[in-house]
């Protein structure tokens, strides 16, 4: 067996894991790996992003739409620290990702050498696992572990730091995929007695409510969830990361939970008698005041991560395991029900929300354009088949509330960390993972400028993403809170924006700006029909607010419609 360098071993490990796209930015400490990448261009496509943060978000977008592990690569020091936001985002949103960083030679570790940073210490709280390789012989085993840990059980990001001397050192290469690690139990064993206890509560419930999250999508359990919902007849609501697991149009889909979610599922969370949580973690944006959250209900929690059970909400029955397996088990003993009177309550509250909020969002009488009517037009032109990518803010809430999702893995957004700047690079990764899908990035004017340099990546790769900036010349969500709770003191939230169209055109992208309602439909149609990347700026109302809204410290039943 001929020996190869550690850097070539890195590439061979990636090939063994069937990696064909990676996102990154070169530098001195990772240069040997890049030199090997150059030799394998026909097998692994390296995407040169314009910033390492963009590499991580692109890897996240790739992973979220495909279900595969996203891969990002960077050099040591500032290259490595620029990965931190993406790692934290992936950790809290359970996104499978492997990040590879170069490091100074092992004899220089701890000496404050040029571009040396303790990325292992920095990234420990925001990774599922991390490891520093100082010997080339470690590379095959560590990479096999990294990919197994990243994608198994509850997914998450892994970081591998490789010293420069380990990249040059030669080894006899052999690779063995890992099927398990003795000290790491990826999926808890199913407790069939708890399945029976859960089924008994569900079958006897008069006003049950299902709340599902991203665990359903990560576990490929969408079909099982739909079967369970349809057999049990239980209304089902979703967290923003769970959106699209059940089509928006499904009659038992009762809408979005949380701070800017729909009126009915929030109000009725505090009226249901059994709350069935599936693959969600009771985030504070969903629960509001936990001391007044579903106190009247028996709570059943379907969850793959035991650490999430009883962490925020005390549960009556914990159903641990992979959602696909546990839903299949409970389906066998779930009774056929319809719950017509209970569903009527959801319809009644929806009509209230429609009259007070939704109608005016989608069919405004005001002169200026609303974010809601932009999403309505995108729905019309994409027929609900697009993947919608957003970062955080008013645009995110509007995109989640009003997008029509016909397919799973269609709502790609920064949920737990709430990262401004996520959407543009994530859309690039999503489009590359699924080039056959329409990918529309819906972004606020604030977040857009945090990673606007990734327009260079769009131009260089020709990734046909459609970029929609909803421009209200404000950091809109913060401004909304300032309007409602700080007497309209708009402290540092008004934006003096550049000419976005000229910037896009500077990157040789097709671009258009819309300011009038009569021009919106044609502009969106032109964008969607384009086979190339396209930038569309839509100027919207400056002081429009997102409702409904649950204010900080309030109960979900105190949700406001205005």
């Amino acid at each position: 067996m001929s020996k190869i360098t550690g850097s070539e071993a890195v590439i061979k490990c990636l090939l063994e894991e069937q990696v064909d796209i990676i996102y990154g930015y070169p530098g001195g400490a990772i240069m040997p790996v890049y030199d090997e990448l150059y030799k394998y261009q026909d097998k692994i496509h390296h995407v040169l992003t314009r910033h390492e943060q963009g590499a991580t978000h692109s890897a996240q977008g790739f992973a979220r739409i495909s279900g595969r592990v996203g891969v990002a690569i960077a050099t040591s020091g500032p290259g490595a620290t620029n990965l931190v936001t993406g790692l934290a985002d992936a950790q809290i949103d359970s996104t499978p990702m492997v990040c590879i960083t170069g490091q100074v030679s092992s004899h220089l570790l701890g000496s404050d050498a040029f571009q040396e940073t303790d990325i292992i210490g920095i990234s420990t709280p925001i990774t599922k696992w991390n490891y520093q390789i100082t010997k080339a012989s470690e590379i095959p085993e560590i990479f096999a572990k990294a990919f197994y840990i990243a994608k198994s059980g509850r997914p998450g990001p892994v970081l591998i730091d490789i010293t420069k001397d380990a990249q040059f050192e030669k080894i006899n290469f052999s690779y063995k995929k890992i099927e398990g690690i003795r000290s790491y139990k990826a999926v808890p064993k199913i407790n069939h007695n708890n399945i029976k206890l859960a089924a008994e509560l569900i079958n006897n419930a008069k006003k049950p409510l299902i709340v599902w999250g991203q665990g359903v999508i990560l576990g490929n359990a969408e079909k099982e969830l739909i079967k369970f919902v349809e057999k049990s007849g239980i209304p089902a609501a979703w967290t923003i990361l769970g959106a699209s697991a059940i089509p928006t149009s499904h009659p038992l889909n009762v809408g979005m939970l949380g701070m800017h979610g729909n009126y009915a599922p929030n109000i009725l969370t505090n009226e249901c008698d059994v709350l069935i949580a599936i693959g969600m973690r009771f985030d504070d944006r969903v629960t509001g005041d936990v001391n007044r959250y579903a106190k009247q209900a028996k709570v059943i929690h379907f969850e793959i991560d035991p650490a999430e059970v009883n962490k925020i909400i005390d549960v009556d029955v914990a159903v641990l395991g992979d959602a696909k397996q546990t839903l299949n088990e409970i389906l066998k003993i779930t009774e056929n029900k319809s719950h017509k009177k209970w569903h009527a309550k959801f319809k009644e509250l929806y009509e209230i929300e429609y009259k007070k909020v939704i109608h005016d969002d989608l069919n405004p009488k005001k002169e200026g354009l609303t974010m809601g009517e932009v999403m309505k037009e995108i729905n019309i032109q994409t027929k609900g088949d697009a993947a919608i990518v957003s970062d955080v803010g008013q645009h995110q809430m509007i995109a989640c509330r009003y997008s029509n999702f016909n397919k799973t893995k269609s709502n790609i957004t920064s949920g737990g960390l709430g990262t401004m700047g996520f959407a543009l690079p994530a859309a690039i990764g999503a489009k590359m993972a699924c080039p056959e899908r329409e990918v529309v990035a819906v972004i606020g004017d604030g977040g857009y400028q945090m990673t606007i340099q990734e327009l260079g990546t769009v131009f260089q790769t020709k990734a046909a993403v459609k970029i929609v900036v909803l421009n209200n010349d404000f950091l809109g969500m913060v401004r909304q809170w300032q309007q409602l709770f700080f007497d309209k003191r708009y402290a540092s939230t008004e934006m003096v924006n550049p000419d976005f169209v000229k910037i896009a055109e500077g990157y040789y992208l097709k671009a258009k700006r819309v300011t009038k309602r009569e021009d919106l439909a044609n502009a969106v149609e032109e964008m969607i029909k384009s086979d190339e990347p396209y930038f569309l700026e839509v100027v919207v109302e400056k002081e429009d607010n997102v409702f409904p809204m649950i204010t900080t410290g309030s109960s979900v039943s105190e949700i406001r419609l205005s």
Side-chain angles (χ1 to χ4, degrees):
M1 185 183 294
S2 60
K3 289 190 174 184
I4 64 172
T5 63
S7 52
E8 187 174 4
V10 169
I11 306 305
K12 286 188 173 290
C13 290
L14 295 175
L15 290 171
E16 289 283 349
E17 294 293 341
Q18 299 181 316
V19 173
D20 52 14
I21 299 178
I22 64 175
Y23 301 87
Y25 205 95
I30 198 67
M31 205 177 295
V33 172
Y34 268 87
D35 189 54
E36 291 299 331
L37 262 175
Y38 184 80
K39 303 171 188 176
Y40 285 85
Q41 293 178 72
D42 59 329
K43 293 182 179 178
I44 298 179
H45 175 43
H46 176 267
V47 178
L48 176 62
T49 58
R50 296 307 186 262
H51 192 283
E52 292 88 352
Q53 181 182 346
T56 57
H57 294 330
S58 291
Q60 287 178 271
F62 177 95
R64 292 274 289 275
I65 201 169
S66 68
R68 298 167 61 193
V69 177
V71 180
I73 184 168
T75 192
S76 62
T81 58
N82 282 342
L83 303 178
V84 166
T85 297
L87 285 166
D89 196 288
Q91 173 77 343
I92 201 165
D93 281 356
S94 304
T95 304
M97 181 167 67
V98 170
C99 288
I100 304 160
T101 53
Q103 185 55 274
V104 300
S105 292
S106 52
H107 73 281
L108 292 172
L109 290 172
S111 71
D112 293 331
F114 178 69
Q115 290 194 334
E116 183 200 357
T117 299
D118 179 12
I119 194 60
I120 294 298
I122 290 169
S123 65
T124 294
I126 53 169
T127 52
K128 192 175 177 186
W129 184 62
N130 63 13
Y131 190 89
Q132 186 175 76
I133 293 174
T134 57
K135 301 283 186 184
S137 58
E138 298 177 291
I139 290 172
E141 180 185 1
I142 295 305
F143 269 76
K145 277 187 178 180
F147 276 86
Y148 174 73
I149 290 170
K151 65 189 176 185
S152 60
R154 180 181 180 177
V158 171
L159 181 133
I160 306 171
D161 193 41
I162 313 175
T163 60
K164 198 166 184 179
D165 52 325
Q167 296 173 51
F168 282 119
E169 189 182 356
K170 291 195 171 184
I171 59 166
N172 291 316
F173 179 82
S174 63
Y175 194 84
K176 184 180 179 182
K177 285 194 177 185
I178 288 177
E179 302 298 330
I181 300 171
R182 190 172 66 176
S183 60
Y184 166 55
K185 303 298 180 188
V187 181
K189 188 178 179 181
I190 294 175
N191 182 324
H192 290 279
N193 186 55
N194 282 11
I195 294 276
K196 291 178 183 175
L197 290 172
E200 186 176 339
L201 285 174
I202 291 165
N203 291 336
N204 291 323
K206 303 299 181 187
K207 297 190 289 185
L209 175 63
I210 291 169
V211 295
W212 89 81
Q214 190 188 200
V216 172
I217 295 171
L218 294 173
N220 298 310
E222 296 93 336
K223 290 180 180 177
E224 288 74 16
L225 176 63
I226 291 171
K227 287 179 183 177
F228 176 59
V229 168
E230 290 177 345
K231 186 176 183 182
S232 65
I234 299 174
W238 40 273
T239 68
I240 62 170
L241 293 185
S244 80
I246 296 178
T248 308
S249 59
H250 194 288
L252 298 181
N253 182 339
V254 295
M256 177 172 128
L257 294 159
M259 180 174 282
H260 292 286
N262 292 109
Y263 192 56
N266 276 302
I267 289 281
L268 297 178
T269 294
N270 278 359
E271 292 185 25
C272 68
D273 58 0
V274 176
L275 184 70
I276 306 118
I278 306 173
M280 56 86 75
R281 58 186 181 84
F282 294 108
D283 178 79
D284 61 289
R285 288 297 171 105
V286 167
T287 63
D289 180 5
V290 294
N291 295 313
R292 292 181 287 164
Y293 181 80
K295 290 298 180 182
Q296 78 295 335
K298 296 290 186 182
V299 180
I300 302 166
H301 196 177
F302 287 74
E303 179 57 53
I304 198 169
D305 184 357
E308 292 295 344
V309 176
N310 294 318
K311 185 174 89 173
I312 296 169
I313 298 297
D314 291 332
V315 305
D316 295 278
V317 181
V319 181
L320 292 174
D322 178 84
K324 193 177 188 74
Q325 297 171 353
T326 53
L327 285 172
N328 262 326
E329 288 299 312
I330 204 161
L331 262 170
K332 299 172 185 175
I333 48 177
T334 300
E335 294 175 3
N336 286 292
K337 295 284 181 76
S338 61
H339 298 291
K340 289 182 179 178
K341 287 184 178 179
W342 181 228
H343 278 286
K345 185 72 172 175
F346 282 87
K347 290 176 182 175
E348 176 187 328
L349 293 178
Y350 173 79
E351 288 302 322
I352 293 171
E353 182 185 354
Y354 184 84
K355 289 175 183 176
K356 291 193 174 183
V357 177
I358 298 171
H359 180 269
D360 288 344
D361 277 353
L362 301 182
N363 308 283
K365 294 177 182 177
K366 59 187 74 173
E367 184 179 339
L369 288 159
T370 66
M371 296 184 185
E373 66 182 312
V374 178
M375 293 313 306
K376 178 183 175 182
E377 194 58 46
I378 290 172
N379 286 333
I380 291 169
Q381 298 298 336
T382 63
K383 299 179 174 60
D385 291 334
I388 305 296
V389 188
S390 58
D391 40 59
V392 66
Q394 288 181 316
H395 75 276
Q396 177 193 36
M397 294 296 102
I398 292 293
C400 291
R401 281 177 55 81
Y402 294 127
S403 291
N404 290 337
F405 297 121
N406 296 334
K407 301 177 180 179
T408 188
K409 298 184 178 73
S410 290
N411 188 44
I412 300 167
T413 191
S414 176
L417 195 64
T419 303
M420 294 177 72
F422 171 88
L424 178 55
I428 296 168
K431 185 64 180 179
M432 289 183 168
C434 296
E436 75 286 354
R437 291 202 65 181
E438 191 71 76
V439 176
V440 181
V442 179
I443 320 176
D445 51 308
Y448 178 59
Q449 293 179 82
M450 289 196 170
T451 51
I452 195 171
Q453 70 276 1
E454 297 308 330
L455 289 177
T457 309
V458 175
F459 166 59
Q460 186 167 348
T461 61
K462 309 302 181 192
V465 295
K466 310 300 167 60
I467 304 157
V468 180
V469 167
L470 302 177
N471 183 5
N472 57 10
D473 291 318
F474 269 111
L475 300 177
M477 188 60 83
V478 182
R479 184 214 55 76
Q480 177 169 336
W481 280 73
Q482 289 172 333
Q483 178 184 338
L484 296 175
F485 307 111
F486 293 88
D487 296 325
K488 293 190 176 183
R489 292 188 295 276
Y490 296 151
S492 300
T493 48
E494 189 162 10
M495 305 285 287
V496 179
N497 286 320
D499 188 326
F500 290 125
V501 169
K502 283 185 178 178
I503 291 172
E505 289 175 342
Y507 284 100
Y508 304 100
L509 303 181
K510 289 183 177 179
K512 183 168 281 190
R513 186 174 195 253
V514 171
T515 60
K516 297 179 180 178
R517 184 165 289 116
E518 56 265 29
D519 298 329
L520 179 64
N522 286 339
V524 174
E525 182 182 15
E526 181 181 315
M527 175 185 72
I528 297 301
K529 286 185 175 179
S530 174
D531 294 328
E532 301 173 24
Y534 195 109
F535 173 82
L536 178 63
E537 176 190 4
V538 183
V539 177
V540 297
E541 284 275 332
K542 291 187 72 168
E543 293 185 273
D544 223 3
N545 290 328
V546 182
F547 286 103
M549 180 180 186
I550 302 168
T551 59
T552 302
S554 297
S555 160
V556 290
S557 54
E558 294 173 326
I559 186 169
R560 296 171 50 170
L561 289 171
S562 61

